[in-house]
Amino acid sequence: MAILVTGAAGFIGSCLVSFLNERGLTDLILVDDFNRPEKSKNLEGKLFSAKIDRSIFLHDLPRHTIDFVFHIGARTDTTEFDVSIFDELNIRYSQALWKHCTSNNIPFLYASSAATYGGSEEGFDDDGAIHDLKPLNPYGQSKQDFDVWALAQEHTPPFWVGLKFFNVFGPNEYHKGRMASVVMHAFNQIALNGTLKLFQSHNPKYDHGQQIRDFIYVKDLLNLMWFWYQNQTCSGIYNAGTGTARTFNDLANAIFLALDKEPKINYIPTPIDIRDKYQYFTEAKMTKTRNAGYKSEFYQLEDAVAEYVQN
C-alpha cells in the first residue's frame, strides 16, 4: 500500500515516517523541499520507496498509484507576512492534492492548525462555526481559508480529515529555528547558562508565564493520525490537542525538573512583530474526536517533557 507523506523531512512528517515504518509500512512516497541539508538527518535510517522534491511533485503525481495521503507539508512560519507564499504552499498546493484525491478515490488527511482560532473569541470548538474564525496572522489565515474551502466542496475524497494541530513538541524539530517548540528552545537555554527566558505577558488578564497552551507531544499527535488512518468513517475537521491546557511556567518547571536543575526564569518582552498577534490561551475541545471513537489517553505534560528532554 503506497502512502504519500508531504513535509516528510520536517519535524512532524519525519516522525510520521518513523511511526509508519515501525508498523511495517515502507512503501512511502516522501515529498518535501529537500534542498535544506539541515533537515537531511531527519530521514536517516528511514525506509521509503521514493523521495520527490515538492517543486516537481504535482507534475509527477499522476504517474503514482497512491492509497492514502498524509498532507503534513506547509509553510508554518507565523512571523512571515508575505501572503503570496502561503497562497502558493498552503492553499493552492493543498487544493491540487485534494482534487487529485477526489478524482482518484484516495483518502486524504491534512494538517490544519489551532492558529485558525485566532484570539479564541469563538473558543476552540471544532464542532462550532468554523467559517466565523478570525486568525491573527497570514499563516493561520491560510489554514483557515483551506478549511473553509474544503467544507464548501461538493466533490470530495472518499474520506478526508483536517486536523487542527495545537502546540506540538518532540524530536526532529532542531531545524525549525525560531519556530521550534518552547521545549527545545528552553532545553538549549538551560543547558547553556542554567536559566530560561520566557515572554512577558502584555495582557492584564495573565501574569508573566501564565500564558496557557494546549501542548501536545508528537507521539500523541501520531496516534491521532493513525486513528484516522484506521477509522475512515467521519470526514471533517477535528482538533488535534490534548484538551488540557497548561501554563508556560508549568512547562518550564517540567523542563528544569527533567534536567534536575533549580528553576531560574527571566521574563522578557514579547517581540513587537508578534505582540499583537499572540495567542494567550489555547485549549482543544476534544469531544468530537472522542465521540468518533478515539479512546487513547494523552501523555501528561511532565511525562512527555521528561521523555523528550532525557532521550
Side-chain angles (χ1 to χ4, degrees), residues 117-283:
Y117 287 114
S120 74
E121 294 86 354
E122 305 296 332
F124 298 90
D125 186 356
D126 50 6
D127 215 13
I130 286 176
H131 295 76
D132 296 334
L133 301 178
K134 297 177 177 62
L136 297 175
N137 53 52
Y139 163 69
Q141 188 62 53
S142 70
K143 291 297 189 178
Q144 167 73 355
D145 289 345
F146 185 74
D147 285 348
V148 170
W149 180 88
L151 289 169
Q153 297 311 295
E154 180 180 353
H155 301 291
T156 71
F159 167 76
W160 68 274
V161 63
L163 296 183
K164 289 182 180 286
F165 292 1
F166 277 67
N167 287 72
V168 189
F169 66 94
N172 296 3
E173 57 171 327
Y174 57 86
H175 63 278
K176 290 176 66 68
R178 189 178 181 183
M179 291 299 108
S181 73
V182 177
V183 181
M184 180 173 175
H185 286 302
F187 174 83
N188 289 335
Q189 288 182 37
I190 295 167
L192 184 64
N193 52 37
T195 63
L196 173 61
K197 295 177 181 178
L198 290 179
F199 288 154
Q200 295 174 358
S201 171
H202 300 275
N203 183 328
K205 295 180 181 179
Y206 298 86
D207 291 333
H208 298 331
Q210 295 300 113
Q211 301 96 317
I212 303 170
R213 288 282 189 279
D214 192 330
F215 300 103
I216 179 168
Y217 194 28
V218 70
K219 287 188 176 182
D220 283 326
L221 179 61
L222 296 172
N223 284 331
L224 280 169
M225 288 194 279
W226 183 247
F227 168 79
W228 290 114
Y229 174 79
Q230 293 186 307
N231 297 272
Q232 299 175 24
T233 52
C234 306
S235 293
I237 296 174
Y238 293 82
N239 284 334
T242 67
T244 303
R246 301 288 298 274
T247 69
F248 278 103
N249 283 339
D250 288 339
L251 183 70
N253 287 328
I255 298 167
F256 278 107
L257 179 64
L259 293 172
D260 196 26
K261 292 181 179 292
E262 194 70 27
K264 295 180 182 178
I265 303 173
N266 296 321
Y267 299 100
I268 62 173
T270 304
I272 294 294
D273 64 331
I274 63 172
R275 191 174 297 181
D276 63 341
K277 300 171 179 62
Y278 186 83
Q279 288 178 302
Y280 278 82
F281 174 84
T282 68
E283 184 175 73

Side-chain angles (χ1 to χ4, degrees), residues 85-150:
I85 294 174
F86 294 111
D87 287 346
E88 176 189 355
L89 298 179
N90 292 5
I91 300 178
R92 289 195 293 272
Y93 205 97
S94 300
Q95 289 172 341
L97 282 175
W98 171 287
K99 292 173 182 177
H100 180 81
C101 289
T102 299
S103 299
N104 293 276
N105 212 38
I106 303 168
F108 181 71
L109 181 152
Y110 74 90
S112 182
S113 172
T116 56
Y117 287 114
S120 74
E121 294 86 354
E122 305 296 332
F124 298 90
D125 186 356
D126 50 6
D127 215 13
I130 286 176
H131 295 76
D132 296 334
L133 301 178
K134 297 177 177 62
L136 297 175
N137 53 52
Y139 163 69
Q141 188 62 53
S142 70
K143 291 297 189 178
Q144 167 73 355
D145 289 345
F146 185 74
D147 285 348
V148 170
W149 180 88

